[in-house]
Amino acid sequence: NRWTPANPHNDTRYPGIQFNMAVNDITSSMIENGSYMRLKTLTLSYNFPQVKFVKNLALFVTGTNLITITKYKGFDPEVSSFNQSLLQQGIDYGAYPTQKSCTFGLSCNF
């Protein structure tokens, strides 16, 4: 009973192949607990003792979004796919999860 050129109708219970869910189509069966705890940023650094030509030598590593603890079944509990839309905040349309990254660095003065 879906919409086709041979069977045109406006009954939304039988959507066509190209169907976009509107805010009004969301039901309570789609609600899930999105509680989470996340280690957002962690930086570890080591300052080496001063050597003849090198002053303030430091080695560091920074990790971002390293751990997320949640029972949420989607990719990411921070689900707002439409960052600018106030009507669709918190609706998970399968947005990519927040990326994890690790940065290593060396800092020194001569």
Side-chain angles (χ1 to χ4, degrees), residues 29-63:
S29 65
M30 299 176 181
I31 295 175
E32 186 175 343
N33 184 353
S35 300
Y36 70 97
M37 184 170 59
R38 176 174 285 161
L39 178 59
K40 193 77 171 176
T41 305
L42 177 68
T43 300
L44 299 174
S45 176
Y46 179 76
N47 294 325
F48 290 94
Q50 185 172 343
V51 189
K52 292 181 182 179
F53 300 106
V54 180
K55 301 175 184 175
N56 302 328
L57 179 64
L59 180 68
F60 66 90
V61 60
T62 300

PDB file of all heavy atoms in Angstrom, residues 29-63:
ATOM      1  N   SER A  29       8.218   4.828  22.116  1.00  0.00           N
ATOM      2  CA  SER A  29       8.974   3.581  21.965  1.00  0.00           C
ATOM      3  C   SER A  29      10.390   3.839  21.470  1.00  0.00           C
ATOM      4  O   SER A  29      11.241   2.968  21.543  1.00  0.00           O
ATOM      5  CB  SER A  29       8.257   2.636  21.004  1.00  0.00           C
ATOM      6  OG  SER A  29       8.225   3.196  19.700  1.00  0.00           O
ATOM      7  N   MET A  30      10.651   5.045  20.981  1.00  0.00           N
ATOM      8  CA  MET A  30      11.976   5.397  20.475  1.00  0.00           C
ATOM      9  C   MET A  30      12.849   6.070  21.530  1.00  0.00           C
ATOM     10  O   MET A  30      13.987   6.408  21.252  1.00  0.00           O
ATOM     11  CB  MET A  30      11.842   6.343  19.281  1.00  0.00           C
ATOM     12  CG  MET A  30      11.102   5.762  18.129  1.00  0.00           C
ATOM     13  SD  MET A  30      10.932   7.028  16.861  1.00  0.00           S
ATOM     14  CE  MET A  30      10.027   6.139  15.633  1.00  0.00           C
ATOM     15  N   ILE A  31      12.318   6.281  22.723  1.00  0.00           N
ATOM     16  CA  ILE A  31      13.074   6.983  23.769  1.00  0.00           C
ATOM     17  C   ILE A  31      13.981   6.001  24.484  1.00  0.00           C
ATOM     18  O   ILE A  31      13.587   4.890  24.825  1.00  0.00           O
ATOM     19  CB  ILE A  31      12.108   7.664  24.756  1.00  0.00           C
ATOM     20  CG1 ILE A  31      11.325   8.742  24.029  1.00  0.00           C
ATOM     21  CG2 ILE A  31      12.878   8.252  25.928  1.00  0.00           C
ATOM     22  CD1 ILE A  31      10.257   9.393  24.866  1.00  0.00           C
ATOM     23  N   GLU A  32      15.213   6.419  24.716  1.00  0.00           N
ATOM     24  CA  GLU A  32      16.199   5.584  25.376  1.00  0.00           C
ATOM     25  C   GLU A  32      16.999   6.440  26.356  1.00  0.00           C
ATOM     26  O   GLU A  32      17.198   7.623  26.130  1.00  0.00           O
ATOM     27  CB  GLU A  32      17.131   5.002  24.309  1.00  0.00           C
ATOM     28  CG  GLU A  32      18.104   4.009  24.836  1.00  0.00           C
ATOM     29  CD  GLU A  32      18.919   3.370  23.715  1.00  0.00           C
ATOM     30  OE1 GLU A  32      18.522   3.454  22.549  1.00  0.00           O
ATOM     31  OE2 GLU A  32      19.963   2.804  24.047  1.00  0.00           O
ATOM     32  N   ASN A  33      17.445   5.826  27.434  1.00  0.00           N
ATOM     33  CA  ASN A  33      18.255   6.539  28.420  1.00  0.00           C
ATOM     34  C   ASN A  33      19.595   6.891  27.785  1.00  0.00           C
ATOM     35  O   ASN A  33      20.331   6.018  27.353  1.00  0.00           O
ATOM     36  CB  ASN A  33      18.449   5.670  29.661  1.00  0.00           C
ATOM     37  CG  ASN A  33      19.199   6.385  30.755  1.00  0.00           C
ATOM     38  OD1 ASN A  33      19.707   7.489  30.576  1.00  0.00           O
ATOM     39  ND2 ASN A  33      19.278   5.764  31.904  1.00  0.00           N
ATOM     40  N   GLY A  34      19.914   8.168  27.753  1.00  0.00           N
ATOM     41  CA  GLY A  34      21.164   8.624  27.143  1.00  0.00           C
ATOM     42  C   GLY A  34      22.189   9.069  28.163  1.00  0.00           C
ATOM     43  O   GLY A  34      23.094   9.827  27.822  1.00  0.00           O
ATOM     44  N   SER A  35      22.092   8.598  29.407  1.00  0.00           N
ATOM     45  CA  SER A  35      23.079   8.981  30.422  1.00  0.00           C
ATOM     46  C   SER A  35      24.450   8.433  30.043  1.00  0.00           C
ATOM     47  O   SER A  35      24.565   7.322  29.536  1.00  0.00           O
ATOM     48  CB  SER A  35      22.686   8.414  31.787  1.00  0.00           C
ATOM     49  OG  SER A  35      21.434   8.898  32.170  1.00  0.00           O
ATOM     50  N   TYR A  36      25.480   9.220  30.313  1.00  0.00           N
ATOM     51  CA  TYR A  36      26.828   8.767  30.001  1.00  0.00           C
ATOM     52  C   TYR A  36      27.836   9.513  30.856  1.00  0.00           C
ATOM     53  O   TYR A  36      27.547  10.549  31.447  1.00  0.00           O
ATOM     54  CB  TYR A  36      27.151   8.953  28.519  1.00  0.00           C
ATOM     55  CG  TYR A  36      27.301  10.389  28.094  1.00  0.00           C
ATOM     56  CD1 TYR A  36      28.557  10.981  28.009  1.00  0.00           C
ATOM     57  CD2 TYR A  36      26.198  11.163  27.778  1.00  0.00           C
ATOM     58  CE1 TYR A  36      28.696  12.296  27.614  1.00  0.00           C
ATOM     59  CE2 TYR A  36      26.326  12.472  27.382  1.00  0.00           C
ATOM     60  CZ  TYR A  36      27.580  13.029  27.301  1.00  0.00           C
ATOM     61  OH  TYR A  36      27.714  14.336  26.912  1.00  0.00           O
ATOM     62  N   MET A  37      29.031   8.938  30.913  1.00  0.00           N
ATOM     63  CA  MET A  37      30.162   9.581  31.557  1.00  0.00           C
ATOM     64  C   MET A  37      31.324   9.464  30.573  1.00  0.00           C
ATOM     65  O   MET A  37      31.555   8.393  30.007  1.00  0.00           O
ATOM     66  CB  MET A  37      30.508   8.891  32.877  1.00  0.00           C
ATOM     67  CG  MET A  37      31.605   9.579  33.631  1.00  0.00           C
ATOM     68  SD  MET A  37      31.842   8.981  35.317  1.00  0.00           S
ATOM     69  CE  MET A  37      32.212   7.272  35.079  1.00  0.00           C
ATOM     70  N   ARG A  38      32.019  10.577  30.333  1.00  0.00           N
ATOM     71  CA  ARG A  38      33.056  10.587  29.312  1.00  0.00           C
ATOM     72  C   ARG A  38      34.318  11.248  29.846  1.00  0.00           C
ATOM     73  O   ARG A  38      34.266  12.276  30.494  1.00  0.00           O
ATOM     74  CB  ARG A  38      32.562  11.340  28.087  1.00  0.00           C
ATOM     75  CG  ARG A  38      33.617  11.490  27.001  1.00  0.00           C
ATOM     76  CD  ARG A  38      33.068  12.095  25.748  1.00  0.00           C
ATOM     77  NE  ARG A  38      32.278  11.062  25.072  1.00  0.00           N
ATOM     78  CZ  ARG A  38      31.363  11.320  24.159  1.00  0.00           C
ATOM     79  NH1 ARG A  38      31.099  12.543  23.803  1.00  0.00           N
ATOM     80  NH2 ARG A  38      30.697  10.338  23.593  1.00  0.00           N
ATOM     81  N   LEU A  39      35.451  10.629  29.565  1.00  0.00           N
ATOM     82  CA  LEU A  39      36.750  11.255  29.807  1.00  0.00           C
ATOM     83  C   LEU A  39      37.044  12.071  28.558  1.00  0.00           C
ATOM     84  O   LEU A  39      37.416  11.539  27.513  1.00  0.00           O
ATOM     85  CB  LEU A  39      37.839  10.199  30.038  1.00  0.00           C
ATOM     86  CG  LEU A  39      39.252  10.717  30.245  1.00  0.00           C
ATOM     87  CD1 LEU A  39      39.315  11.643  31.453  1.00  0.00           C
ATOM     88  CD2 LEU A  39      40.213   9.566  30.397  1.00  0.00           C
ATOM     89  N   LYS A  40      36.792  13.377  28.624  1.00  0.00           N
ATOM     90  CA  LYS A  40      36.837  14.251  27.447  1.00  0.00           C
ATOM     91  C   LYS A  40      38.275  14.570  27.032  1.00  0.00           C
ATOM     92  O   LYS A  40      38.625  14.417  25.876  1.00  0.00           O
ATOM     93  CB  LYS A  40      36.071  15.537  27.761  1.00  0.00           C
ATOM     94  CG  LYS A  40      35.774  16.392  26.594  1.00  0.00           C
ATOM     95  CD  LYS A  40      34.628  15.841  25.781  1.00  0.00           C
ATOM     96  CE  LYS A  40      34.202  16.836  24.739  1.00  0.00           C
ATOM     97  NZ  LYS A  40      33.181  16.328  23.879  1.00  0.00           N
ATOM     98  N   THR A  41      39.113  15.012  27.970  1.00  0.00           N
ATOM     99  CA  THR A  41      40.491  15.384  27.639  1.00  0.00           C
ATOM    100  C   THR A  41      41.420  14.973  28.770  1.00  0.00           C
ATOM    101  O   THR A  41      41.122  15.199  29.940  1.00  0.00           O
ATOM    102  CB  THR A  41      40.614  16.907  27.422  1.00  0.00           C
ATOM    103  OG1 THR A  41      39.683  17.307  26.427  1.00  0.00           O
ATOM    104  CG2 THR A  41      42.009  17.293  26.980  1.00  0.00           C
ATOM    105  N   LEU A  42      42.549  14.378  28.413  1.00  0.00           N
ATOM    106  CA  LEU A  42      43.561  13.990  29.385  1.00  0.00           C
ATOM    107  C   LEU A  42      44.923  14.341  28.801  1.00  0.00           C
ATOM    108  O   LEU A  42      45.224  13.983  27.653  1.00  0.00           O
ATOM    109  CB  LEU A  42      43.485  12.486  29.680  1.00  0.00           C
ATOM    110  CG  LEU A  42      44.538  11.942  30.639  1.00  0.00           C
ATOM    111  CD1 LEU A  42      44.304  12.485  32.047  1.00  0.00           C
ATOM    112  CD2 LEU A  42      44.521  10.429  30.642  1.00  0.00           C
ATOM    113  N   THR A  43      45.746  15.053  29.580  1.00  0.00           N
ATOM    114  CA  THR A  43      47.092  15.419  29.150  1.00  0.00           C
ATOM    115  C   THR A  43      48.099  14.936  30.183  1.00  0.00           C
ATOM    116  O   THR A  43      47.936  15.192  31.379  1.00  0.00           O
ATOM    117  CB  THR A  43      47.230  16.947  28.978  1.00  0.00           C
ATOM    118  OG1 THR A  43      46.294  17.386  28.001  1.00  0.00           O
ATOM    119  CG2 THR A  43      48.632  17.325  28.533  1.00  0.00           C
ATOM    120  N   LEU A  44      49.113  14.247  29.711  1.00  0.00           N
ATOM    121  CA  LEU A  44      50.223  13.815  30.552  1.00  0.00           C
ATOM    122  C   LEU A  44      51.484  14.473  30.007  1.00  0.00           C
ATOM    123  O   LEU A  44      51.711  14.492  28.793  1.00  0.00           O
ATOM    124  CB  LEU A  44      50.375  12.291  30.527  1.00  0.00           C
ATOM    125  CG  LEU A  44      49.182  11.490  31.032  1.00  0.00           C
ATOM    126  CD1 LEU A  44      49.420  10.004  30.795  1.00  0.00           C
ATOM    127  CD2 LEU A  44      48.945  11.757  32.496  1.00  0.00           C
ATOM    128  N   SER A  45      52.303  14.998  30.926  1.00  0.00           N
ATOM    129  CA  SER A  45      53.497  15.711  30.505  1.00  0.00           C
ATOM    130  C   SER A  45      54.658  15.364  31.427  1.00  0.00           C
ATOM    131  O   SER A  45      54.456  15.124  32.618  1.00  0.00           O
ATOM    132  CB  SER A  45      53.232  17.218  30.548  1.00  0.00           C
ATOM    133  OG  SER A  45      54.388  17.943  30.230  1.00  0.00           O
ATOM    134  N   TYR A  46      55.850  15.339  30.865  1.00  0.00           N
ATOM    135  CA  TYR A  46      57.048  15.107  31.658  1.00  0.00           C
ATOM    136  C   TYR A  46      58.073  16.174  31.287  1.00  0.00           C
ATOM    137  O   TYR A  46      58.395  16.356  30.109  1.00  0.00           O
ATOM    138  CB  TYR A  46      57.635  13.707  31.410  1.00  0.00           C
ATOM    139  CG  TYR A  46      58.889  13.452  32.207  1.00  0.00           C
ATOM    140  CD1 TYR A  46      58.815  13.175  33.563  1.00  0.00           C
ATOM    141  CD2 TYR A  46      60.143  13.528  31.602  1.00  0.00           C
ATOM    142  CE1 TYR A  46      59.955  12.960  34.300  1.00  0.00           C
ATOM    143  CE2 TYR A  46      61.292  13.314  32.332  1.00  0.00           C
ATOM    144  CZ  TYR A  46      61.187  13.035  33.682  1.00  0.00           C
ATOM    145  OH  TYR A  46      62.322  12.833  34.422  1.00  0.00           O
ATOM    146  N   ASN A  47      58.585  16.880  32.284  1.00  0.00           N
ATOM    147  CA  ASN A  47      59.634  17.890  32.098  1.00  0.00           C
ATOM    148  C   ASN A  47      60.987  17.256  32.415  1.00  0.00           C
ATOM    149  O   ASN A  47      61.204  16.765  33.528  1.00  0.00           O
ATOM    150  CB  ASN A  47      59.407  19.099  32.994  1.00  0.00           C
ATOM    151  CG  ASN A  47      58.165  19.861  32.611  1.00  0.00           C
ATOM    152  OD1 ASN A  47      57.833  19.960  31.435  1.00  0.00           O
ATOM    153  ND2 ASN A  47      57.467  20.387  33.598  1.00  0.00           N
ATOM    154  N   PHE A  48      61.890  17.255  31.445  1.00  0.00           N
ATOM    155  CA  PHE A  48      63.211  16.674  31.629  1.00  0.00           C
ATOM    156  C   PHE A  48      64.116  17.665  32.349  1.00  0.00           C
ATOM    157  O   PHE A  48      63.929  18.881  32.249  1.00  0.00           O
ATOM    158  CB  PHE A  48      63.838  16.330  30.266  1.00  0.00           C
ATOM    159  CG  PHE A  48      63.161  15.179  29.583  1.00  0.00           C
ATOM    160  CD1 PHE A  48      62.144  15.416  28.658  1.00  0.00           C
ATOM    161  CD2 PHE A  48      63.528  13.877  29.861  1.00  0.00           C
ATOM    162  CE1 PHE A  48      61.516  14.367  28.031  1.00  0.00           C
ATOM    163  CE2 PHE A  48      62.896  12.820  29.228  1.00  0.00           C
ATOM    164  CZ  PHE A  48      61.893  13.059  28.313  1.00  0.00           C
ATOM    165  N   PRO A  49      65.123  17.155  33.051  1.00  0.00           N
ATOM    166  CA  PRO A  49      66.089  18.064  33.674  1.00  0.00           C
ATOM    167  C   PRO A  49      66.869  18.842  32.592  1.00  0.00           C
ATOM    168  O   PRO A  49      67.007  18.376  31.465  1.00  0.00           O
ATOM    169  CB  PRO A  49      67.035  17.147  34.446  1.00  0.00           C
ATOM    170  CG  PRO A  49      66.544  15.771  34.286  1.00  0.00           C
ATOM    171  CD  PRO A  49      65.395  15.769  33.354  1.00  0.00           C
ATOM    172  N   GLN A  50      67.367  20.012  32.962  1.00  0.00           N
ATOM    173  CA  GLN A  50      68.061  20.870  31.999  1.00  0.00           C
ATOM    174  C   GLN A  50      69.366  20.224  31.549  1.00  0.00           C
ATOM    175  O   GLN A  50      70.124  19.680  32.337  1.00  0.00           O
ATOM    176  CB  GLN A  50      68.345  22.229  32.620  1.00  0.00           C
ATOM    177  CG  GLN A  50      68.939  23.215  31.657  1.00  0.00           C
ATOM    178  CD  GLN A  50      69.032  24.607  32.243  1.00  0.00           C
ATOM    179  OE1 GLN A  50      68.378  24.893  33.232  1.00  0.00           O
ATOM    180  NE2 GLN A  50      69.846  25.448  31.641  1.00  0.00           N
ATOM    181  N   VAL A  51      69.609  20.286  30.245  1.00  0.00           N
ATOM    182  CA  VAL A  51      70.839  19.772  29.635  1.00  0.00           C
ATOM    183  C   VAL A  51      71.622  20.990  29.139  1.00  0.00           C
ATOM    184  O   VAL A  51      71.089  22.100  29.105  1.00  0.00           O
ATOM    185  CB  VAL A  51      70.504  18.809  28.469  1.00  0.00           C
ATOM    186  CG1 VAL A  51      71.747  18.098  27.956  1.00  0.00           C
ATOM    187  CG2 VAL A  51      69.469  17.788  28.893  1.00  0.00           C
ATOM    188  N   LYS A  52      72.870  20.831  28.686  1.00  0.00           N
ATOM    189  CA  LYS A  52      73.734  21.947  28.303  1.00  0.00           C
ATOM    190  C   LYS A  52      73.081  22.911  27.317  1.00  0.00           C
ATOM    191  O   LYS A  52      73.014  24.097  27.549  1.00  0.00           O
ATOM    192  CB  LYS A  52      75.039  21.412  27.709  1.00  0.00           C
ATOM    193  CG  LYS A  52      75.906  20.708  28.694  1.00  0.00           C
ATOM    194  CD  LYS A  52      77.179  20.222  28.042  1.00  0.00           C
ATOM    195  CE  LYS A  52      78.030  19.460  29.043  1.00  0.00           C
ATOM    196  NZ  LYS A  52      79.253  18.953  28.449  1.00  0.00           N
ATOM    197  N   PHE A  53      72.613  22.413  26.179  1.00  0.00           N
ATOM    198  CA  PHE A  53      72.105  23.287  25.137  1.00  0.00           C
ATOM    199  C   PHE A  53      70.584  23.401  25.111  1.00  0.00           C
ATOM    200  O   PHE A  53      70.047  24.280  24.457  1.00  0.00           O
ATOM    201  CB  PHE A  53      72.585  22.799  23.760  1.00  0.00           C
ATOM    202  CG  PHE A  53      74.079  22.779  23.646  1.00  0.00           C
ATOM    203  CD1 PHE A  53      74.777  21.583  23.671  1.00  0.00           C
ATOM    204  CD2 PHE A  53      74.783  23.960  23.528  1.00  0.00           C
ATOM    205  CE1 PHE A  53      76.155  21.566  23.577  1.00  0.00           C
ATOM    206  CE2 PHE A  53      76.163  23.963  23.421  1.00  0.00           C
ATOM    207  CZ  PHE A  53      76.861  22.759  23.447  1.00  0.00           C
ATOM    208  N   VAL A  54      69.917  22.521  25.801  1.00  0.00           N
ATOM    209  CA  VAL A  54      68.454  22.474  25.738  1.00  0.00           C
ATOM    210  C   VAL A  54      67.874  22.880  27.084  1.00  0.00           C
ATOM    211  O   VAL A  54      68.243  22.353  28.121  1.00  0.00           O
ATOM    212  CB  VAL A  54      67.963  21.052  25.364  1.00  0.00           C
ATOM    213  CG1 VAL A  54      66.450  21.019  25.304  1.00  0.00           C
ATOM    214  CG2 VAL A  54      68.565  20.605  24.056  1.00  0.00           C
ATOM    215  N   LYS A  55      66.956  23.841  27.045  1.00  0.00           N
ATOM    216  CA  LYS A  55      66.288  24.292  28.263  1.00  0.00           C
ATOM    217  C   LYS A  55      64.805  23.944  28.156  1.00  0.00           C
ATOM    218  O   LYS A  55      64.227  23.968  27.072  1.00  0.00           O
ATOM    219  CB  LYS A  55      66.428  25.801  28.435  1.00  0.00           C
ATOM    220  CG  LYS A  55      67.855  26.288  28.506  1.00  0.00           C
ATOM    221  CD  LYS A  55      67.896  27.801  28.547  1.00  0.00           C
ATOM    222  CE  LYS A  55      69.323  28.295  28.511  1.00  0.00           C
ATOM    223  NZ  LYS A  55      69.398  29.752  28.422  1.00  0.00           N
ATOM    224  N   ASN A  56      64.200  23.661  29.249  1.00  0.00           N
ATOM    225  CA  ASN A  56      62.753  23.412  29.327  1.00  0.00           C
ATOM    226  C   ASN A  56      62.279  22.349  28.335  1.00  0.00           C
ATOM    227  O   ASN A  56      61.286  22.527  27.637  1.00  0.00           O
ATOM    228  CB  ASN A  56      61.951  24.700  29.083  1.00  0.00           C
ATOM    229  CG  ASN A  56      62.308  25.782  30.075  1.00  0.00           C
ATOM    230  OD1 ASN A  56      62.639  25.488  31.220  1.00  0.00           O
ATOM    231  ND2 ASN A  56      62.247  27.023  29.642  1.00  0.00           N
ATOM    232  N   LEU A  57      62.956  21.217  28.301  1.00  0.00           N
ATOM    233  CA  LEU A  57      62.554  20.112  27.435  1.00  0.00           C
ATOM    234  C   LEU A  57      61.378  19.386  28.085  1.00  0.00           C
ATOM    235  O   LEU A  57      61.450  18.980  29.244  1.00  0.00           O
ATOM    236  CB  LEU A  57      63.728  19.153  27.216  1.00  0.00           C
ATOM    237  CG  LEU A  57      63.457  17.928  26.356  1.00  0.00           C
ATOM    238  CD1 LEU A  57      63.109  18.354  24.926  1.00  0.00           C
ATOM    239  CD2 LEU A  57      64.654  16.990  26.366  1.00  0.00           C
ATOM    240  N   ALA A  58      60.297  19.250  27.334  1.00  0.00           N
ATOM    241  CA  ALA A  58      59.099  18.586  27.862  1.00  0.00           C
ATOM    242  C   ALA A  58      58.513  17.683  26.779  1.00  0.00           C
ATOM    243  O   ALA A  58      58.489  18.024  25.601  1.00  0.00           O
ATOM    244  CB  ALA A  58      58.071  19.607  28.300  1.00  0.00           C
ATOM    245  N   LEU A  59      58.035  16.533  27.203  1.00  0.00           N
ATOM    246  CA  LEU A  59      57.368  15.579  26.335  1.00  0.00           C
ATOM    247  C   LEU A  59      55.936  15.454  26.834  1.00  0.00           C
ATOM    248  O   LEU A  59      55.702  15.370  28.040  1.00  0.00           O
ATOM    249  CB  LEU A  59      58.081  14.227  26.405  1.00  0.00           C
ATOM    250  CG  LEU A  59      57.533  13.092  25.569  1.00  0.00           C
ATOM    251  CD1 LEU A  59      57.750  13.384  24.093  1.00  0.00           C
ATOM    252  CD2 LEU A  59      58.222  11.796  25.951  1.00  0.00           C
ATOM    253  N   PHE A  60      54.961  15.476  25.917  1.00  0.00           N
ATOM    254  CA  PHE A  60      53.576  15.382  26.374  1.00  0.00           C
ATOM    255  C   PHE A  60      52.736  14.559  25.409  1.00  0.00           C
ATOM    256  O   PHE A  60      53.077  14.370  24.246  1.00  0.00           O
ATOM    257  CB  PHE A  60      52.959  16.776  26.544  1.00  0.00           C
ATOM    258  CG  PHE A  60      52.790  17.542  25.268  1.00  0.00           C
ATOM    259  CD1 PHE A  60      51.627  17.445  24.530  1.00  0.00           C
ATOM    260  CD2 PHE A  60      53.805  18.367  24.809  1.00  0.00           C
ATOM    261  CE1 PHE A  60      51.482  18.157  23.351  1.00  0.00           C
ATOM    262  CE2 PHE A  60      53.664  19.079  23.635  1.00  0.00           C
ATOM    263  CZ  PHE A  60      52.502  18.975  22.901  1.00  0.00           C
ATOM    264  N   VAL A  61      51.644  14.049  25.942  1.00  0.00           N
ATOM    265  CA  VAL A  61      50.648  13.331  25.157  1.00  0.00           C
ATOM    266  C   VAL A  61      49.272  13.797  25.647  1.00  0.00           C
ATOM    267  O   VAL A  61      49.047  13.955  26.845  1.00  0.00           O
ATOM    268  CB  VAL A  61      50.814  11.795  25.265  1.00  0.00           C
ATOM    269  CG1 VAL A  61      50.662  11.319  26.694  1.00  0.00           C
ATOM    270  CG2 VAL A  61      49.819  11.080  24.368  1.00  0.00           C
ATOM    271  N   THR A  62      48.377  14.070  24.699  1.00  0.00           N
ATOM    272  CA  THR A  62      47.021  14.498  25.023  1.00  0.00           C
ATOM    273  C   THR A  62      46.040  13.590  24.310  1.00  0.00           C
ATOM    274  O   THR A  62      46.160  13.353  23.109  1.00  0.00           O
ATOM    275  CB  THR A  62      46.774  15.958  24.581  1.00  0.00           C
ATOM    276  OG1 THR A  62      47.691  16.801  25.264  1.00  0.00           O
ATOM    277  CG2 THR A  62      45.357  16.401  24.890  1.00  0.00           C
ATOM    278  N   GLY A  63      45.091  13.055  25.055  1.00  0.00           N
ATOM    279  CA  GLY A  63      44.036  12.223  24.488  1.00  0.00           C
ATOM    280  C   GLY A  63      42.697  12.925  24.615  1.00  0.00           C
ATOM    281  O   GLY A  63      42.420  13.578  25.617  1.00  0.00           O
TER     282      GLY A  63
END
